[in-house]
Amino acid sequence: LAKTTQPISMDSYEGQEVNITCSHNNIATNDYITWYQQFPSQGPRFIIQGYKTKVTNEVASLFIPADRKSSTLSLPRVSLSDTAVYYCLVGDRTGGFKTIFGAGTRLFVKA
Amino acid sequence: DTGVSQDPRHKITKRGQNVTFRCDPISEHNRLYWYRQTLGQGPEFLTYFQNEAQLEKSRLLSDRFSAERPKGSFSTLEIQRTEQGDSAMYLCASSLNAPAGARSNSPLHFGNGTRLTVT
């Protein structure tokens, strides 16, 4: 199972763009990259998933370089409500459900 | 889509007692997963079902833990003879296992968990 490395925490201000990078050097050919968001006392919530290049939805963008050894989650114009823990997972089509989530990246958005 | 529902949200029990949690997945999802999460850590995989079959169990799942998914719908997770180390958030998730070769991906949909406190 591919291991991922993310920053432990990040700070930002409202209205800024936030980029969280995840390293996954041992990603396999069939692996997808999936990001989840988790608020306190709630389960993780799916944000975005991609395989290569760029994926964009109404919430975020996911940039994946050609070698797929890293990926960057981009949150445009964050608000206070984006303060949460963000997990990067690498695995099969279901998002690597057996993958160790790790501690994720704690994003603090300040006013 | 009513989402994944877990019951109860909170459970306080004394050491040595048995507890049972319930998870109702999204109705059309054929896969169901159980995770455990402790403070400051990400969720840890415990076990998963495809329909009613329990296909895999983590080494984290001791003999005191048992999970069922009768009829492939809701699932229960029982912990017997609880220990203080069992205190954690127990999360359930579900997904749709798309046919092989399908382009669509099916990420996990989590419930809001059951927080267990063993005193």
Side-chain angles (χ1 to χ4, degrees), chain A residues 20-74:
Chain A
I20 305 174
T21 297
C22 178
S23 297
H24 28 79
N25 292 318
N26 297 323
I27 189 169
T29 302
N30 295 330
D31 285 342
Y32 287 79
I33 300 155
T34 310
W35 286 80
Y36 290 86
Q37 174 193 56
Q38 187 175 28
F39 299 113
S41 299
Q42 293 186 24
R45 183 175 72 101
F46 169 79
I47 301 176
I48 197 165
Q49 185 179 67
Y51 184 80
K52 62 181 179 180
T53 63
K54 176 184 175 182
V55 180
T56 298
N57 62 22
E58 65 278 6
V59 176
S61 294
L62 179 60
F63 298 92
I64 306 168
D67 66 6
R68 303 200 328 123
K69 293 183 182 300
S70 67
S71 59
T72 299
L73 174 72
S74 181

Side-chain angles (χ1 to χ4, degrees), chain B residues 105-118:
Chain B
N105 303 315
S106 179
L108 303 171
H109 295 257
F110 283 85
N112 286 329
T114 294
R115 182 167 296 284
L116 172 66
T117 302
V118 182

Side-chain angles (χ1 to χ4, degrees), chain A residues 97-99, chain B residues 21 32-37 43-49 54-62 65-67 77-79 86 88-92:
Chain A
F97 64 86
K98 289 185 285 184
T99 302
Chain B
F21 311 139
L32 185 147
Y33 314 79
W34 285 98
Y35 290 82
R36 180 172 65 191
Q37 185 173 26
E44 297 173 298
F45 168 75
L46 292 178
T47 188
Y48 90 98
F49 294 82
Q54 187 174 17
L55 296 186
E56 189 163 342
K57 294 193 291 185
S58 162
R59 285 173 291 180
L60 294 175
L61 212 63
S62 77
F65 287 69
S66 62
L77 177 67
E78 180 183 17
I79 308 174
D86 297 331
M89 173 79 84
Y90 289 85
L91 292 162
C92 175

Side-chain angles (χ1 to χ4, degrees), chain B residues 17-84:
Chain B
Q17 298 295 305
N18 299 343
V19 295
T20 300
F21 311 139
R22 176 180 172 124
C23 171
D24 287 273
I26 293 172
S27 57
E28 62 267 28
H29 285 182
N30 50 11
R31 280 195 176 182
L32 185 147
Y33 314 79
W34 285 98
Y35 290 82
R36 180 172 65 191
Q37 185 173 26
T38 54
L39 195 62
Q41 299 300 314
E44 297 173 298
F45 168 75
L46 292 178
T47 188
Y48 90 98
F49 294 82
Q50 178 146 323
N51 300 313
E52 67 276 9
Q54 187 174 17
L55 296 186
E56 189 163 342
K57 294 193 291 185
S58 162
R59 285 173 291 180
L60 294 175
L61 212 63
S62 77
D63 291 343
R64 297 184 296 106
F65 287 69
S66 62
E68 295 182 344
R69 192 184 182 197
K71 303 178 183 178
S73 56
F74 72 91
S75 176
T76 58
L77 177 67
E78 180 183 17
I79 308 174
Q80 296 182 326
R81 305 180 302 283
T82 53
E83 301 172 357
Q84 287 186 322

